[in-house]
Amino acid sequence: MVGGSTLIPDVEGALGMAGKTITRADLCEAVYRKVGLSRTESADLVEMVLAEIRERMIRGESVKLSSFGSFLVRSKGERIGRNPKTGEEVPISPRRVMVFKPSNVLKQRINGALAEDAQFDEDVERA
Amino acid sequence: MIKSELVQVVADQNPHLYQRDVEHIINAILDTITEALANGDRVELRGFGAFSVKNRPARVGRNPRTGTSVSVTEKYVPFFKTGKEMRERLNAGA
């Protein structure tokens, strides 16, 4: 975004969330701290794990990670789309898409934590 | 592929590590992503995709069987958007 972007609240911000972004570097740091390999090796391993999931998806396989969720590949047939600017109809070619189906454990972890936060905020406002 | 198979494959690529270490590594990755989402943070992995949390406001829903109104409380749901490179590679052969 160019200039003055600080004036535009990001979408997550508008929802009242923290809005921090976690990257590969943070995952490497977590592996480094929890497993005790060198930083370089931790980074290599994070990459290998992601690469393996990616290769499986490309081969059309699904990857199920218990208590986290499943990555699935879906094949979409051809359909007619519309250029939203011009209203012109354009065919959308058949394609493969990757979808993530979160596990119940993950959904509950997220709701547990954030729902409590929201409740707390409400209580604070009321008090 | 399930988690234990992923552990096995990565362990085979790293003969100097115990399988248990690889399991800890994979759990550390998944736990870090889970914790970030539970904090309302976003996780962006270039070339793979990005995880975020979406808010579903409270609404009045309907029991589809009986048609009675029920109130559904506010919810947060995890969301994954496939990365550009990943999307392109999924369709590279087409």
Side-chain angles (χ1 to χ4, degrees), chain A residues 17-18 20-22 24 30 41 48 54-58 62-64 95-96 98 100 102 111 114, chain B residues 1-3 6 9 14 16 32 36 38 41-47 76 78 80 82 86 89-91:
Chain A
M17 294 191 183
K20 209 170 66 173
T21 300
I22 304 302
R24 264 185 180 71
E41 201 172 11
M48 277 185 225
R54 197 163 49 208
E55 290 317 307
R56 297 288 169 150
M57 306 305 306
I58 289 165
S62 56
V63 178
K64 295 181 185 177
R95 64 192 59 217
R96 291 197 304 169
M98 174 177 175
F100 175 64
N111 267 293
L114 295 178
Chain B
M1 168 181 250
I2 60 171
K3 203 204 270 183
L6 179 61
V9 171
N14 295 276
H16 62 293
T32 305
D41 294 336
R42 208 178 118 78
V43 180
E44 192 177 306
L45 303 168
R46 288 284 158 94
Y76 293 91
F80 177 77
T82 314
M86 182 80 217
R89 289 199 55 194
L90 280 171
N91 294 290

Side-chain angles (χ1 to χ4, degrees), chain A residues 64-76:
Chain A
K64 295 181 185 177
L65 304 171
S66 74
S67 79
F68 184 73
S70 307
F71 293 103
L72 314 166
V73 184
R74 295 225 171 112
S75 295
K76 303 270 188 182

Side-chain angles (χ1 to χ4, degrees), chain A residues 17 102-119, chain B residues 34 37-40 53-57 73-78:
Chain A
M17 294 191 183
S103 73
N104 283 327
V105 177
L106 179 62
K107 284 195 272 191
Q108 274 161 13
R109 274 295 313 274
I110 290 172
N111 267 293
L114 295 178
E116 274 164 32
D117 266 9
Q119 190 57 50
Chain B
T34 304
L37 295 176
N39 286 333
V53 179
K54 290 200 168 180
N55 174 271
R56 298 265 180 272
T73 55
E74 180 185 41
K75 260 195 303 208
Y76 293 91
V77 293

Side-chain angles (χ1 to χ4, degrees), chain A residues 26-40:
Chain A
D26 300 293
L27 298 188
C28 299
E29 189 61 26
V31 170
Y32 169 74
R33 273 189 288 108
K34 291 187 191 174
V35 188
L37 302 172
S38 73
R39 280 205 160 81
T40 325

